[in-house]
Amino acid sequence: MQDCLFCRIVRGELPAAKVHEDELVLAFKDIQPQRPVHVLVIPKKHITSLAQATEDDTEVLGRMLVVANRIAVDQGSPDGFRSIINTGSIGGQEVMHVHMHVVGGQEPVGPMLKR
Ligand code: AMP
Ligand code: ZN
């Protein structure tokens, strides 16, 4: 995907504060952090959203979950974190390349949704 923001980060065309990289996924700090720890974990291959994910994406989506705890601990959220994947307009997705927010810090993140 030529113009996709996160594909451009994967290709090194745009800068990012990388905190983890393996053959399947990349993780970097969110540019507008909502909590002291706020990292985005993305598949290196372009997947537009979870609505477009297929059986073939099982391994990379699993890897995103498996690396989350290590990233959270490394970044200063040793006692837990929240992982969020927004999907489509109802889910509030703004960047159309699957990404999992890993948010945390020393204080509880707060209620899951605004009431
Ligand atoms: P979402 O609303 O789930 O699509 O979240 C998109 C996230 O991407 C937001 O939290 C943005 O702050 C973040 N973001 C947008 N551009 C960049 C960038 N160049 N580097 C890091 N994070 C970004
Ligand atoms: Zn992309």
Side-chain angles (χ1 to χ4, degrees):
M1 291 292 281
Q2 212 60 25
D3 294 331
C4 168
L5 181 67
F6 288 172
C7 282
R8 295 188 69 195
I9 287 176
V10 170
R11 292 196 299 264
E13 295 169 8
L14 290 175
K18 295 180 188 177
V19 299
H20 170 88
E21 182 167 12
D22 61 46
E23 80 280 14
L24 292 177
V25 307
L26 179 65
F28 50 90
K29 294 184 182 179
D30 196 289
I31 207 165
Q32 285 189 297
Q34 304 297 311
R35 293 292 184 279
V37 174
H38 189 169
V39 171
L40 301 177
V41 185
I42 70 169
K44 283 186 166 175
K45 70 170 268 197
H46 182 85
I47 306 169
T48 301
S49 85
L50 282 189
Q52 277 78 36
T54 71
E55 193 84 6
D56 291 346
D57 302 319
T58 303
E59 186 182 12
V60 66
L61 293 172
R63 181 71 60 84
M64 287 166 61
L65 292 172
V66 168
V67 298
N69 187 61
R70 180 150 42 89
I71 290 168
V73 171
D74 288 350
Q75 292 301 307
S77 195
D79 299 322
F81 59 93
R82 182 167 296 158
S83 45
I84 303 165
I85 302 177
N86 297 322
T87 300
S89 55
I90 295 293
Q93 183 178 2
E94 290 177 356
V95 177
M96 290 301 173
H97 178 130
V98 167
H99 50 283
M100 179 171 68
H101 299 256
V102 173
V103 289
Q106 300 292 323
E107 306 291 332
V109 168
M112 189 171 72
L113 295 170
K114 277 186 193 163
R115 289 171 193 275

